[in-house]
Amino acid sequence: MAMEITQILLAAQSQDGQIRSSAEGNLKQFQEQSLPHFLLALSIELSNDQKPPESRRLAGIVLKNSLDAKDSIRKENLSQQWISVDPAIKFQIKESLLRTLGSSVSEARRTSSQVIAKVAAIEIPRREWQELIGNLLNNMTQQDAPSLKQATLEALGYVCEEIAPEDLEQDQVNAVLTAVVQGMSQMEHSFEVRLAAVKALYNALDFAQTNFQNELERNYIMKIVCETAVSKELEIRQAALECLVSIASTYYEILEAYMQSLFNLTASAVRGDEEPVALQAIEFWSTICDEEIAIQDEFEESSNGSSCPNFHFVEKALPLLVPMLLETLLKQEEEQDQDDGIWNLSMAGGTCLGLVARTVGDGVVPLVMPFVEGNIAKTDWRSREAATFAFGSILEGPSVEKLAPLVQAGLDFLLNAMRDQNTHVKDTTAWTIGRIFELLHSPISSYPVITSENLPRIMSVLLDSSRDAPNVSEKVCGAIYFLAQGYEAPGSTSSLLTPYLGDLISALLYSADRADTNNSRLRASSYETLNEVVRCSNVPETINIIAQLLLEILKRLGQTLELQIVSSDDREKQSDLQALLCGALQVIIQKLSSSNAKSIILQSADQMMAVLLQVFACHSSSVHEEAMLAIGSLAYATGSEFEKYMPEFYKYLEMGLQNFEEYHVCSISVGVVGDICRALDKNVLQFCDGIMSALLKDLSNPMLNRAVKPPIFSCFGDIALAIGELFQKYVPYVIPMLQGAAELCSHLDDSDEDMLDYGDQLRRCIFEAYSGILQGFKGSKAELMMPYASHLLQFTEAVFRDKNRDEGVTRAAIAAMGDLANTLGPNTKVLFKDCTFHVDFLVECLQSEDDQLKETATWTQGMISQVLVS
Amino acid sequence: MADEELSPTLPHRRDAIKSSVHNIAANRRRQHAIAVGKERREALIRTKRLCRDSLADDSEVPLEGHMIIDEEKAVLDSKTSRTVEELKSAMTYQGKGAIQKKVEILRALRRLLSQSEVPPIKAALQAGAVPALVQCLSFGSTDEQLLEAAWCLTNIAAGEPEETKSLMPALPLLIAHIGEKSATAVAEQCAWALGNVAGEGEELRNILLAQGALLPLARLMLSNKGSPTRTAAWALSNLIKGPDSRAANELIRIDGVLDSITQHLQKADDELATEVAWVVVYLSALSEKAISLLVKSDAAQLLVARLVASESLQLLIPVLRSLGNLVAGSSYMIDSVLMSGHNITDQLLSGLIKCLKSEHRVLKKEAAWALSNIAAGTCEHKKLIFSSEATSLLMHLLSSAPFDIRKEAAYTIGNICVTTEKDAEQPCIIVTHLVSLVNKGCLPGFINLVRSADLESARLGLQFLELVMRGMPNGEGPKLVEREDGIDAMERFQFHENEEMRNMANGLVDKYFGEDYGLDS
């Protein structure tokens, strides 16, 4: 039985909104009534060459979206749904998909190959659909079926992209690689087949570990890839170079034998090939740099050297590589500075040169400086820009001793070049000055770049140039940003900047307001630079200026409320501007609250709060993220005074906590709860029921991004610390959540970096929650936690046994253990006696280099030993 | 529904080296804002961890008349603050020689803190010395560092009560370092610091006890390490001072403590014996259990031996007080240990006589008190005292000693003259004793007591007058009393606010000097 759904699928794409939504309703109804038949109908629709391409296309999309989603929880649900479909129907669907690979309609073939990969992603790791690879490879032996072969290769590529190397048997991998490499190499194949084969290889490379260990197989693969990289078709050459980039990153350790030919290949691509190919050739070298930088970092960090040998390919190729890259710098595009995301030969070459400098350090300098000196004064703007760009690119990596004399000698030249006739030159010059400040400017350096002698001139040039073309002005913001930041270095004082603070702020406010550009970059850079200038300024001498700025920012924020909003575009612009202004507000509040100038905040608190509440009010659908951050700072700064704002603010806080779709907003709101707890202390109690139920709801919401969950746990700790024993009533809800999350930590996929990070965060925050609750209960309600003590210790032990945990987890764990002993006292004697891991754990922590960890561990040791002698 | 396109993923492209500042800046700013929240959380919980009770501060009362030393003091203070700052920055320094540097700074700080009459404790505290010193006590630190840090803390603990209290964050570590694994010198120094803290007051004692200081200190006292043992005993005596008796009860129950006490009393030099005797003082003052164990052990005999043999005032005081406590607290002591004819009894008596003769007020008082308790014992005891040299010494003390000693002497004399028979309404008078003592002139001393503002003394005086008037043969008593202005002394109580005293005095006057008085003479 298969229902006819062509008409509904077509209607779902109708121009007429009513028809469309009714069709969408029908599809949804069908889906809910019988998912298996719905999926089957879609697959049949996709496979039927008699059907219109539009309905087949949508059938493919709906099918794919029924199998996979970006959100991991939804994705897991979809997988489970698919798994539970009747095997007979699944078989029919898969047959239908495989059949579609032979369709005469190319879009149907491609869609089908992608859907096949989605099914494979679910089934193959479960050791199901094991015949898929065989079926696909069988397609490759068909005579005269170029489109089937193309679709099959695409399917193989997508399958490899979806599954993990361990999901395939080695003989399957061998067969796939053979088929793919044959698809690449046989010249009788059409362009489409060969392109599909190269792209499939790109995805299959991760599976070829064993094959790359075998010299014969490796030689063969490398030979074919290199040959393919000089095919006559551009797209194939580009795809082959992408393969080489991937090989450089995955198989760095076997490259040595091929390096000479790879250098020749990439050099001629950079010099003579078309841009997409040349960009990949540069990318190859950038990737080699990445690898060698990683090896060097690993070598420096660990005492037993790095796991991979460093072949110093970059250093060996340096005399040829650097000139090649310098040439690319001269291939600028006109107007390239107007676009932030520009990626062309010059940009890729400069980026690669920067990586080369980080890889080899001083060695790059003598190879680059003649180019800089030879070109920087030429009449042709491209030469001057390339020379400046080259200089700016090599500022990170070489030693200060090597760079400082060059910078000291060249800074004045660069300052003069801010009056160049050419905007590109000025743009790159301002960027280079910014890089100098970022990397070399520190008042405590033995090679100071900025001195009290040259500061006036630097400031005057920067202030003048901030009124230059918008793109130049924006780079000047960058220079000011790093100039201010450099003065924040520990042990120094930013008072040298104080005389310029007023002018800097005016200049930045001016550039933020410029109407001669509709590019939002300048505005954003101006405000962010303003923030950094404020953050690094030296209080108390700048307090008056900052207080004035606060009023100005409040005024501007007030003005955004008056903006006329007719379109969603207007709304977005208003929101963006409010974000920048709230950001500035937050920085100012933070600055003033960390000084003795709190009175200024208290004076303006009513006004700030009124404006922020209006900002919230003018976005009915969501809560403004930056406004929320500003509120957090304000709450902390005003302390118990903040209570009077709570009645009005509370609804926005609750909205923020409930906004699981925009998880950033949710996460920041959770953080603000913490700020409010610290501000109101016991008085936060009146809001706790609402806050706690929102938080608990969030935790059990599968749609909420998991990143928010750890902060929620920490937030429980904040609340418990604030309200102390009154947290008692939430314990029955909170502890099971903590225990569940602790349980989850032991099941996380430890091959996935992101998951590992997440696990660390989760564990740290679980401990923070326990710490807050334990410390909150200390004294009066300690016994309430007794039933959970043993579980907490077990969890701590599991964490201790995991040697991959990060320091933050260690610190939180050792602290929570101390809190347990501290709060529960002699009651825990038996527990601590029964488990001995705490001794080893403490020893480990006490030997740490981290003072804070040592301090905490010492405290914990004291607490436990008290318990043990009790 | 067609929103989501089918598009193959594009290969990742790296970020250009030349990029706009606002991208990184906005991210950094947001991360910074979030990091600040985390820091504040950590700071808050750290203070919660380290402070069980809020540390009261700023109770300074500006003192006048200290102008001359102010300048010197300011120099010392600023030196101290600087040293603490140096210490703090040395704590973060990890490089070569870091450990030696820390020790040097600690030593300098310790010297500053022990320098003048008014050590710059306050300056050190304001500069944040305690957290830094606590950090210096971290496990794994060198012994030298531990020693110096504990020494600094000891000096701080010797300061004003509020200054002592500031040591609270350091207590867990100080306690931890008196454990067996610590170097002897470190353990001793920590015990010293803890002793100072315990000496400050009941509140801190309770905190120390809650943190488990008792057991490790007791263990340290059990060890035979000389000076550390002594310091531990001293610290223990401070710790169990009470008034709560729990600590004393706990201490005596610790295995080996009693044996260790007797052993030290037997073998130790005067200094150690002194500190151990102080431990016995508080044990015997606060713990019934301790008394019953002590009297049955050799402790009593050993204390008596010390009393006889030693000339050290420091030792005699606690020995004497301990003996007094034991006699007062346990009938076993009187009934079974200090039996007439036992060597120990004679020894004790001669020891007490020695003390009554001593120049030292405290010894005289403690000896009189101990004697009064013995005098409260059996007739044998009373006879023994009565027939000893003690009587005349007591008579002398009653007439000329300071008030508090006089009272103790009076108790003793009173006790010598009566026996408390079961069910008797009034104490029976030992007439021979009474007559002899009255004849030797003790009556004026008691009449003086009647005039005393101290009710207890007054009662004691009245009771003795009653004995005299009732017990002196031939009705001589009232006459003797009248002759010494006793009526006047008693009539002071005619309208006294204390009912018992009023009734007692009026009753005596009525009974012996009522309407019938003088008719038959």
Side-chain angles (χ1 to χ4, degrees), chain A residues 321-392:
Chain A
L321 181 60
V322 170
M324 175 185 95
L325 293 172
L326 291 172
E327 281 171 41
T328 66
L329 303 188
L330 290 157
K331 297 184 180 166
Q332 307 96 329
E333 291 173 290
E334 300 281 353
E335 307 298 312
Q336 66 176 17
D337 295 326
Q338 303 305 317
D339 179 0
D340 201 14
I342 192 78
W343 192 245
N344 56 31
L345 270 185
S346 146
M347 211 51 84
T351 304
C352 186
L353 185 59
L355 289 165
V356 168
R358 286 176 52 202
T359 311
V360 302
D362 287 357
V364 80
V365 176
L367 293 168
V368 171
M369 285 316 289
F371 178 84
V372 174
E373 285 151 8
N375 286 288
I376 202 148
K378 281 195 179 161
T379 51
D380 166 28
W381 73 263
R382 288 178 188 277
S383 303
R384 296 199 302 278
E385 197 275 342
T388 315
F389 192 23
F391 188 60

Side-chain angles (χ1 to χ4, degrees), chain A residues 134-194:
Chain A
N135 283 342
L136 290 174
L137 292 173
N138 194 35
N139 288 346
M140 295 306 292
T141 62
Q142 304 288 312
Q143 295 295 312
D144 299 322
S147 51
L148 174 64
K149 286 186 181 173
Q150 181 207 350
T152 301
L153 285 165
E154 283 178 359
L156 281 170
Y158 293 139
V159 169
C160 289
E161 196 178 357
E162 291 285 343
I163 64 179
E166 62 270 19
D167 293 332
L168 288 190
E169 302 297 336
Q170 185 58 41
D171 58 343
Q172 288 177 311
V173 172
N174 294 341
V176 169
L177 283 173
T178 308
V180 166
V181 172
Q182 276 175 0
M184 283 167 72
S185 59
Q186 285 171 10
M187 288 316 289
E188 74 272 15
H189 284 144
S190 67
F191 161 70
E192 287 82 10
V193 172
R194 282 183 292 126

